[in-house]
Amino acid sequence: MGAPRLLVLPAALAVGLLVLPVVALVVRADWSSLPQDVSSPAAIRALTLSLTTSLSATAICLVLGVPLAVLLARARGRGADVLRALVTLPLVLPPTVGGIALLYLLGRRGLVGASLDAWFGIRLPFTTAAVVIAQVFVAMPFLVLGVEGALRTSGHRYETVAATLGAGRWTVLRRITLPIVAPGLTAATVLCFARALGEFGATALFAGNTPGVTQTMPLAIYSAFNGAGVTQGSAVALSLLLVATAAAVLLVARAWRPGRAA
Amino acid sequence: MQGPPSGRGPDLTDEVARRTLDARVVVRRAGFTLDATVRAVPGEIVVVVGANGAGKSTLLHAVAGLVRPDEGTVRVGDRVLTGDRVLVPPAQRRIGFLGQDPLVFPHLDVRENVAFGPRAAGVHAARARAAADEWLARVGLTGFGSRRPHELSGGQRQRVALARALAAEPDVLLLDEPFAQVDVRTASAVRELVRAQVLATGTAAVVVTHDVVDVLTMGDRVVVLHDGAVVEQGVPRDVLTDPRHAFTAALAGTNLVVGTFERPPGSGGTLVVDDGPRIPLTADVETGARVRLTFPPAAVEVVPLDDVDHTWLAHVVDVEAGVGGARLRTSGDVLVDLDAGRAAVLRPLVGDRVRLRLRPQDARVRRSD
């Protein structure tokens, strides 16, 4: 049984649409100035900042998102449905809107930000922490949805067996639930990291564009592309660097897959 | 590790008392109520048999603590596991569960699967693995410890699941149609294994099944569950040779009809079956007595319609596949087996009138009071 042959046409267009832009990027790059562009202190700073903030954001998403996914997967009823919808909200929100929302919450006069400033002297906007928060905001839904889906698919039959073997809830979670959804968890983590790495809109509004502090790769690329007196060549070079980084992360995640034997 | 009870010493009765399962559970669902009692002593296999929907699995789930019964108590020895305002979680019940799907943990190798129970109980990893290897040897899987679950056959997986359940040293082992998904030969081998290990470990076991073979091969006692209620129980031989309930009779592959015996002066006897035919019968009971008659479907012959000597008239209600021929369901749910040759000659159709004769030597008559 094959699929209808006519499907090849739109499928080929889809592949073209997804792959050709990246090809164009590679083809049009100025390869002679590339080594210089990607090794410039500005590029290295942006890449380092991107990687550290994205990894931090992913770690926070894991620590907070996995428990949320576990609870959501087990929850039933209207309340759980509403919660599920709320959790996915950042997914459908334009990131710029997310950035404004974060400002209104955590800004100096924000809902929580005002108190943070008054009581603890903490000002989050336009700091590296703000970059991480913006990334967490946009990336966490990918993790929660991915892990919850994996948990639902696996069901709890193995967990029931584990319980009848004398395993308490923590043991079941640690030795059965999480290992069984490990492939889904890995995929969700990669998606989450990729989303954090590519985050632009919320970061720009909530964290700003200060080199070395909040200027991540996407912001650096945007600045280079629009910037006065800067060639667009460095923007392309930075883009290629980001593409290469993302590809490397994907490859590493594919190679490391616990529970592959399932 | 729980050794075989070789030294049957003076503490045996204590041991028996400590590990005896005593449960009565009531579970109400829309249009269905399960109200059943089950008891099993160490080393004993109680087979709960019933049709699909009789409430067998619900009973096991309630005993295992996976379902909260609406009423009732579950007790092992003097430990109350389910009762008024008591619901001990499954993990603390010491009740093992083996379902029809072995559910060998896919991410762990065979050894770690079997070692799971001991490790959950806090046994050091190395010791738990050594114990797992011993259990694997007991179920005939020596050397399989490093295999991954997907490399095993269905029967081997069921053995791993059995070893894993027993390695957790439960007081009670529940088996929910454990052989429904393995082939006949594997099922026989695993049945024997369950039987041997239940005896060796002194575990009280409850098996639920719809397969009469499980009753015959494993059952020390049988409990017949029908529509959520226990309709009869006892030693398999007694229950199956003298069924008192239609479901049990069907399970035993025998006809069971209940009626009133009539013997007018100067004539032979007749069993007037409730809502059924009048079966000519010789019996040593007085007229008017309530009687239970059992006979195998092969003990009935179809005779010419004009043969009125000790025969009765009936209708064909159903024609089903029989062993080596056809099985007719006739008026009053009396089953009649025809071999293929006879069936080809008679070509019975639904609605046909047939005249039947019962071979008297195959009929068992008992008073039903």
Side-chain angles (χ1 to χ4, degrees):
Chain A
M1 259 303 278
R5 280 187 198 171
L6 205 60
L7 294 190
V8 170
L9 202 64
L13 276 174
V15 172
L17 211 52
L18 294 172
V19 176
L20 288 180
V22 183
V23 172
L25 199 62
V26 173
V27 170
R28 291 298 303 272
D30 182 356
W31 292 91
S32 60
S33 67
L34 193 74
Q36 208 183 328
D37 281 332
V38 298
S39 60
S40 72
I44 298 294
R45 247 196 338 253
L47 182 64
T48 311
L49 185 68
S50 259
L51 285 176
T52 48
T53 52
S54 300
L55 286 173
S56 311
T58 306
I60 291 172
C61 287
L62 278 170
V63 170
L64 304 180
V66 170
L68 177 59
V70 169
L71 293 181
L72 276 180
R74 297 288 173 265
R76 288 198 200 92
R78 274 190 86 92
D81 289 339
V82 170
L83 195 59
R84 213 167 279 130
L86 286 177
V87 165
T88 52
L89 199 59
L91 215 56
V92 294
L93 222 57
T96 42
V97 177
I100 296 173
L102 285 171
L103 268 180
Y104 273 71
L105 181 74
L106 299 170
R108 280 181 62 187
R109 289 190 214 121
L111 219 52
V112 174
S115 312
L116 280 181
D117 192 5
W119 297 348
F120 307 105
I122 297 176
R123 291 179 192 177
L124 283 172
F126 312 110
T127 62
T128 306
V131 175
V132 175
I133 291 171
Q135 289 172 343
V136 168
F137 180 77
V138 297
M140 182 123 73
F142 287 90
L143 186 91
V144 174
L145 285 187
V147 175
E148 197 212 340
L151 285 168
R152 283 177 173 273
T153 316
S154 76
H156 21 204
R157 302 195 309 156
Y158 289 110
E159 286 146 336
T160 305
V161 171
T164 64
L165 293 169
R169 290 177 182 205
W170 280 107
T171 308
V172 173
L173 183 71
R174 189 172 53 83
R175 294 208 56 210
I176 303 296
T177 313
L178 292 181
I180 281 179
V181 299
L185 181 62
T186 308
T189 308
V190 168
L191 265 182
C192 175
F193 175 77
R195 181 67 189 86
L197 192 66
E199 161 47 28
F200 175 80
T203 313
L205 283 163
F206 182 51
N209 190 11
T210 316
V213 182
T214 68
Q215 192 183 68
T216 56
M217 285 293 276
L219 285 152
I221 291 166
Y222 183 78
S223 303
F225 197 79
N226 279 356
V230 185
T231 59
Q232 294 190 351
S234 63
V236 174
L238 291 173
S239 302
L240 282 176
L241 187 57
L242 192 57
V243 169
T245 309
V249 168
L250 274 175
L251 284 178
V252 168
R254 278 206 165 273
W256 178 77
R257 249 201 225 173
R260 183 171 11 195
Chain B
M1 181 191 292
Q2 184 75 46
S6 47
R8 294 204 162 213
D11 57 344
L12 183 66
T13 43
D14 276 1
E15 180 70 5
V16 168
R18 197 177 64 75
R19 305 177 82 191
T20 294
L21 168 72
D22 203 341
R24 181 197 167 224
V25 296
V26 179
V27 179
R28 296 193 188 90
R29 299 266 186 273
F32 174 81
T33 300
L34 168 74
D35 185 347
T37 303
V38 64
R39 210 182 119 84
V41 299
E44 179 188 42
I45 299 185
V46 175
V47 177
V48 178
V49 66
N52 286 333
K56 307 185 298 270
S57 289
T58 309
L59 173 63
L60 281 201
H61 284 120
V63 172
L66 305 173
V67 161
R68 181 197 283 270
D70 295 289
E71 255 180 69
T73 24
V74 175
R75 209 178 291 135
V76 173
D78 53 10
R79 290 194 300 140
V80 176
L81 304 179
T82 303
D84 292 335
R85 281 180 235 120
V86 179
L87 189 69
V88 175
Q92 290 159 30
R93 292 193 165 220
R94 303 178 57 84
I95 294 185
F97 196 95
L98 187 60
Q100 58 174 266
D101 190 336
L103 293 174
V104 179
F105 302 134
H107 59 294
L108 300 177
D109 66 18
V110 165
R111 182 178 293 111
E112 284 297 341
N113 260 278
V114 179
F116 186 88
R119 289 193 63 181
V123 176
H124 190 270
R127 277 188 53 198
R129 287 190 199 112
D133 282 339
E134 281 178 46
W135 280 105
L136 286 171
R138 286 206 198 186
V139 299
L141 289 177
T142 305
F144 278 71
S146 311
R147 301 275 186 102
R148 309 292 304 192
H150 67 98
E151 297 170 335
L152 305 181
S153 71
Q156 288 168 338
R157 257 178 259 170
Q158 199 56 282
R159 284 167 192 256
V160 173
L162 175 66
R164 181 179 63 180
L166 290 170
E169 298 179 18
D171 292 331
V172 177
L173 181 62
L174 307 176
L175 301 97
D176 189 357
E177 310 241 3
F179 315 115
Q181 284 184 14
V182 291
D183 61 84
V184 174
R185 192 172 294 173
T186 307
S188 303
V190 183
R191 271 192 197 100
E192 224 147 272
L193 200 59
V194 169
R195 169 111 221 108
Q197 291 306 322
V198 162
L199 264 177
T201 54
T203 310
V206 179
V207 182
V208 310
T209 182
H210 61 258
D211 189 347
V212 71
V213 177
D214 289 334
V215 181
L216 301 173
T217 55
M218 311 172 68
D220 294 308
R221 279 193 306 121
V222 56
V223 173
V224 182
L225 200 62
H226 185 72
D227 277 344
V230 174
V231 291
E232 49 191 315
Q233 57 181 311
V235 180
R237 197 181 64 181
D238 296 345
V239 172
L240 292 176
T241 53
D242 181 16
R244 286 146 199 261
H245 190 274
F247 177 77
T248 320
L251 192 73
T254 186
N255 280 302
L256 165 68
V257 291
V258 181
T260 309
F261 188 68
E262 284 179 6
R263 182 164 46 195
S267 76
T270 303
L271 177 64
V272 182
V273 179
D274 304 340
D275 302 321
R278 302 169 63 89
I279 299 176
L281 190 68
T282 317
D284 191 18
V285 290
E286 75 280 4
T287 187
R290 294 290 291 164
V291 160
R292 197 164 70 235
L293 170 67
T294 50
F295 54 97
V300 187
E301 52 179 336
V302 179
V303 298
L305 279 170
D306 56 0
D307 184 347
V308 294
D309 178 32
H310 282 87
T311 62
W312 75 95
L313 202 58
H315 282 91
V316 177
V317 177
D318 251 324
V319 184
E320 307 158 13
V323 180
R327 168 168 283 190
L328 312 184
R329 182 176 298 277
T330 67
S331 317
D333 271 345
V334 172
L335 299 175
V336 179
D337 275 356
L338 298 176
D339 63 49
R342 186 88 179 110
V345 172
L346 289 170
R347 299 189 70 113
L349 298 172
V350 172
D352 280 359
R353 292 204 308 161
V354 284
R355 196 163 270 286
L356 304 173
R357 180 186 289 135
L358 171 61
R359 279 202 300 274
Q361 65 270 29
D362 291 328
R364 301 194 66 171
V365 181
R366 293 181 187 82
R367 302 180 63 103
S368 163
D369 297 313

